[in-house]
Amino acid sequence: ADILKVRDIEESMAGRYSSHTLYTLSTAEKRGSHTNFIDLLFSKKFLENTNYKSDYEEMKEEIACGGFPESYSLPNKQRKRWFSSYLNSRIIKDFQELHPTKRADTKGDITKILSLLAGRTSQLLNYATIAKATGITVPTVKEYILTLESMFLLKITKPYYKNLSKRVTKTPKLHFTDSGLASYLCGVIAENIENSDDFGNLLENYVYTEILKHSTWAETSTEIMHFRTDKKEEVDIILESDSGKLIAIEIKKTTIIKDEDLKGLVKFAQYQKGDFFLGVILYGGDKLLPLKRDGFEFWAVPIVAMW
């Protein structure tokens, strides 16, 4: 957990420690690859490899198994049992230590909220909707979600705006930090994930978490955000480097790119007036493809390029 958010620690530790966030294993790490996808994008070295071998079944397995070292290689039945144990013996116990509460059924509250959030991963975070669905007050829901974020189970992602104050005040998105945990809470395994209503959101969550993990060892320091207009035109991920370079990433589960898939990227390019570094669609195909629309140039990049 985030040491500065642990209530029993009174010391600020200022000047006496540094922190490094350790997420679950990325797909690249599991395969022994040193590929850093963020650096590949900002250097445009991904253009040097045009021969990708895409395995759609493999991608579904990666989403469903997640990156916990103890569980990702287990058979489905054993992995399900592991996640059940992890939820009950670790998450609930740690939550109760980090967030003492007088509510009678904290375990039931957290189980309900996590299951509900898993079904809404990669979507805008609406506290009022969650409160109504769980029967918990809005302030309590906010406190619970902040605690779950401090436990590194969830990640709240700001929206991208040129106006910095809007990044704080406008609605953020929510993701799980491990797609395997999100899949378990949705009742999804690799064999049925493609037929699940949650597939698109879980795929976006998976790509988001992979990029989040890569950001911890990338040479290029970045902030990860999302983009959404008042007319609900959106881009799944925006990367902004310290130097101000912007990369817009749209995620599609299909193996074929259609013209309408570029809508969000075009809107972002128009919002930036063309002043951005790169726009890509990560998709389930195996070809690196140049794309053009409305005078802007983008790239379709196979999801396997991440590892």
Side-chain angles (χ1 to χ4, degrees), residues 127-162:
Y127 295 106
T129 301
I130 296 165
K132 184 177 180 180
T134 57
I136 305 170
T137 65
V138 171
T140 301
V141 166
K142 287 183 177 180
E143 288 182 13
Y144 282 5
I145 288 177
L146 286 174
T147 300
L148 291 167
E149 187 185 26
S150 75
M151 293 167 64
F152 298 99
L153 296 172
L154 305 176
K155 192 74 175 174
I156 298 172
T157 308
K158 295 186 296 187
Y160 173 83
Y161 284 94
K162 294 177 186 177

Side-chain angles (χ1 to χ4, degrees), residues 218-234:
E219 292 294 327
T220 309
S221 180
T222 58
E223 184 171 5
I224 306 173
M225 292 171 278
H226 72 96
F227 175 74
R228 184 180 175 92
T229 70
D230 293 336
K231 295 182 179 179
K232 300 182 180 180
E233 297 147 332
E234 58 185 353

Side-chain angles (χ1 to χ4, degrees), residues 42 188 248:
F42 277 99
V188 167

Side-chain angles (χ1 to χ4, degrees), residues 259-294:
D259 189 59
E260 63 190 40
D261 294 333
L262 296 168
K263 188 186 302 182
L265 291 175
V266 169
K267 287 297 177 183
F268 182 74
Q270 291 172 341
Y271 175 75
Q272 289 297 125
K273 298 180 180 178
D275 182 24
F276 73 108
F277 183 67
L278 184 67
V280 303
I281 292 182
L282 285 175
Y283 78 119
D286 57 5
K287 291 181 173 58
L288 186 68
L289 301 172
L291 306 169
K292 289 186 178 182
R293 180 171 165 179
D294 295 356

Side-chain angles (χ1 to χ4, degrees), residues 103-118:
R103 285 185 64 88
D105 189 17
T106 306
K107 180 177 178 180
D109 286 350
I110 300 309
T111 302
K112 280 193 294 186
I113 285 180
L114 281 171
S115 298
L116 186 68
L117 292 178

Side-chain angles (χ1 to χ4, degrees), residues 200 203-208 211 235-237 249-254 280-283 303:
L203 173 60
E204 181 183 332
N205 194 105
Y206 166 72
V207 172
Y208 172 87
I211 289 175
V235 177
D236 297 324
I237 295 173
I249 303 172
E250 187 68 10
I251 302 156
K252 298 296 179 184
K253 61 184 178 182
T254 57
V280 303
I281 292 182
L282 285 175
Y283 78 119
I303 289 174

Side-chain angles (χ1 to χ4, degrees), residues 22-41:
L22 187 65
Y23 295 106
T24 60
L25 297 174
S26 70
T27 301
E29 288 177 299
K30 288 188 285 184
R31 294 162 186 265
S33 167
H34 294 100
T35 295
N36 188 284
F37 188 57
I38 290 177
D39 290 334
L40 283 182
L41 289 175

